[in-house]
Amino acid sequence: MEALTSGKKSAQLKREILRRYMFNGGESIADLSRDLGLSVPTLTKIVGELIDEDLVINLGKQGATGGRRPSIYGVNPSAGYFMGVDIKRDVIVLGIINFRGDMVISRQYDFHIVNTRQSFDELCNLISQFIATSRIRREKLLAIGINLSGRVNPETGYSYSYFFFDEKPLTTVLEERLGCRVYIENDSRAMTYGEYVYGIGNGEQNMIFLNLSWGFGIGMIIGGQLHYGKSGFSGEYGHFPFFDNEIICSCGKRGCLETEVSGWAAHRQFIEKLKQGNISMLSKQFESGKQITLADILDVLAKEDMLAIEVMEQIGSSLGRAIAGLINMFNPEVVVLGGTLCEAKDYLLLPIKSAINKYALNFVSKDTAIKVSKLGETAGLVGICAITRNKMLGL
């Protein structure tokens, strides 16, 4: 990969050709010449060098029958591999994509992340175990990307929500443990990028993705680019001071949007209503002292439990009002809803749309589509794999 990391003009051209092959599937040299404005001999030389470096292969002659068919070139799928690690609340999902971007293996393990060295060691052990059983040669694994919730600065490699034990960046500590290049990313941004490239992004220049999981975060595509902000902390909309309540948020402040619009807010509200004597399909389970999970609530919601419907409609109404503010501010082409709470489907979506109609400016919101994630729970893994490949190759 040394030929791709130098600052030479030829290296930049090689990266551009690889980027086109990765996103277009493959092109002829004549196509490259036309689109890049360079001569056929120059591009023949550059593509030849990429073939010698084992990064590009000849896909054969393609095109209509009759006449001389051009050779099509594309990336070599086995040139290298990139690993993604998507850490959720109670599970960890690991996957490896090939050089072309195809997911070749993925697995899920039980894992509850906490901010301790023991949890960090467990994470490293799970990653090493997955690599060892993946049948991917270690020297072919070019980089690992890891999603973390909360405050993550991908540029400096620091995470301030998890594993901030040493003065060294978390990426440096992980590289020392894993023996491989490591990148970290905020989970909501990774989900955003996965949905933008492989889901329902559809080439829009401005997209907002809402990660409605146990917590609440957003990711933004602005001008066709993933938006990070000055210090890499953009997207903390869940900690916008939205409510006049005394509920302490996970960030330590009161009245954050996340206190009323998130998975833990839905769980808290549901339990509070059970304590007040409201009836639900889960009443017996609650009275017996057994734990009620968010998954339990979503399960009875699908069975038309009235208490679960009431809670979800309240969350949807508050969320719709918050989305209206985003629409008025950013005027995006599309707002995408993702994360665990999207299992609520119309019980969440209908009150969201009703509140948007009520609070958003009509001339601003009329061109904004509200959609549910196409990738679902895989958005984070797909996104972090793609981001890791792009960063490693300088794309």
Side-chain angles (χ1 to χ4, degrees):
M1 299 298 155
E2 293 181 3
L4 298 178
T5 57
S6 68
K8 296 179 180 179
K9 186 176 180 180
S10 62
Q12 295 174 353
L13 180 56
K14 287 179 180 180
R15 285 196 294 269
E16 174 60 20
I17 291 172
L18 283 176
R19 186 190 67 80
R20 291 176 64 90
Y21 285 163
M22 286 173 176
F23 290 103
N24 298 338
E27 292 179 292
S28 69
I29 289 178
D31 290 333
L32 289 176
S33 176
R34 182 187 65 249
D35 294 344
L36 298 179
L38 297 171
S39 69
V40 168
T42 296
L43 289 168
T44 300
K45 177 179 180 295
I46 294 294
V47 171
E49 291 177 359
L50 287 170
I51 292 173
D52 292 340
E53 294 160 14
D54 204 31
L55 301 177
V56 167
I57 57 175
N58 189 331
L59 299 177
K61 295 183 181 298
Q62 300 177 20
T65 58
R68 186 174 179 180
R69 294 184 298 167
S71 292
I72 303 298
Y73 299 90
V75 295
N76 178 6
S78 61
Y81 297 85
F82 307 89
M83 180 176 174
V85 181
D86 189 25
I87 303 175
K88 302 176 186 293
R89 176 171 167 78
D90 294 308
V91 299
I92 181 173
V93 187
L94 305 98
I96 294 177
I97 62 171
N98 62 21
F99 205 72
R100 188 170 55 199
D102 306 315
M103 188 72 66
V104 296
I105 183 174
S106 64
R107 292 196 187 109
Q108 178 174 302
Y109 299 93
D110 291 334
F111 176 70
H112 183 74
I113 186 171
V114 289
N115 193 31
T116 64
R117 291 189 180 274
Q118 181 180 352
S119 184
F120 175 77
D121 290 339
E122 185 181 355
L123 171 64
C124 292
N125 291 338
L126 282 172
I127 292 173
S128 297
Q129 174 188 337
F130 177 74
I131 296 171
T133 58
S134 68
R135 298 185 179 179
I136 301 295
R137 297 207 313 270
R138 195 65 184 245
E139 65 271 17
K140 283 284 190 176
L141 184 63
L142 304 181
I144 300 170
I146 302 176
N147 286 343
L148 291 165
S149 62
R151 286 156 290 287
V152 175
N153 189 325
E155 293 301 316
T156 63
Y158 281 97
S159 166
Y160 297 97
S161 297
Y162 289 102
F163 310 140
F164 185 50
F165 305 134
D166 304 296
E167 292 185 4
K168 292 187 292 187
L170 177 59
T171 50
T172 301
V173 179
L174 285 164
E175 287 170 354
E176 292 171 352
R177 284 288 297 268
L178 301 173
C180 185
R181 184 69 178 269
V182 175
Y183 300 97
I184 59 173
E185 185 56 88
N186 172 268
D187 57 348
S188 297
R189 271 198 300 265
M191 294 170 74
T192 302
Y193 190 73
E195 195 67 46
Y196 179 66
V197 176
Y198 298 103
I200 57 178
N202 198 31
E204 284 89 348
Q205 289 296 295
N206 301 285
M207 182 186 99
I208 297 177
F209 181 93
L210 278 65
N211 178 13
L212 304 165
S213 298
W214 187 251
F216 175 42
I218 70 170
M220 295 177 286
I221 301 290
I222 299 178
Q225 299 294 322
L226 195 57
H227 181 67
Y228 283 88
K230 171 65 176 178
S231 306
F233 301 138
S234 69
E236 294 292 346
Y237 192 46
H239 301 293
F240 187 89
F242 201 84
F243 297 101
D244 185 19
N245 63 32
E246 292 300 311
I247 301 173
I248 299 176
C249 181
S250 59
C251 69
K253 300 185 184 300
R254 301 174 189 269
C256 292
L257 184 58
E258 189 174 289
T259 63
E260 301 288 357
V261 177
S262 61
W264 78 266
H267 183 268
R268 187 197 71 246
Q269 292 174 23
F270 189 85
I271 298 300
E272 287 175 351
K273 288 181 180 298
L274 285 177
K275 289 179 179 179
Q276 294 167 4
N278 289 271
I279 304 300
S280 164
M281 295 178 187
L282 295 173
S283 292
K284 289 185 178 180
Q285 183 173 328
F286 173 73
E287 291 165 1
S288 68
K290 293 182 180 178
Q291 182 182 11
I292 293 176
T293 66
L294 180 60
D296 292 331
I297 297 171
L298 291 171
D299 181 58
V300 297
L301 178 70
K303 299 173 183 175
E304 300 183 354
D305 181 86
M306 292 306 298
L307 183 58
I309 291 173
E310 179 184 337
V311 168
M312 206 55 62
E313 286 181 344
Q314 178 58 49
I315 286 179
S317 180
S318 297
L319 179 57
R321 184 180 175 190
I323 293 173
L326 290 174
I327 291 173
N328 290 344
M329 185 178 299
F330 292 103
N331 189 204
E333 285 102 320
V334 61
V335 173
V336 183
L337 309 177
T340 307
L341 280 189
C342 286
E343 294 178 26
K345 299 180 181 177
D346 280 349
Y347 293 119
L348 185 68
L349 193 59
L350 292 178
I352 285 175
K353 290 183 175 180
S354 177
I356 289 174
N357 289 335
K358 181 177 181 180
Y359 293 107
L361 297 172
N362 291 336
F363 65 90
V364 179
S365 64
K366 64 182 178 65
D367 294 324
T368 298
I370 309 297
K371 298 183 179 180
V372 176
S373 167
K374 178 181 177 181
L375 299 181
E377 291 296 315
T378 66
L381 180 62
V382 170
I384 188 59
C385 284
I387 288 173
T388 301
R389 182 185 67 171
N390 292 355
K391 287 187 174 180
M392 185 64 190
L393 299 179
L395 300 180

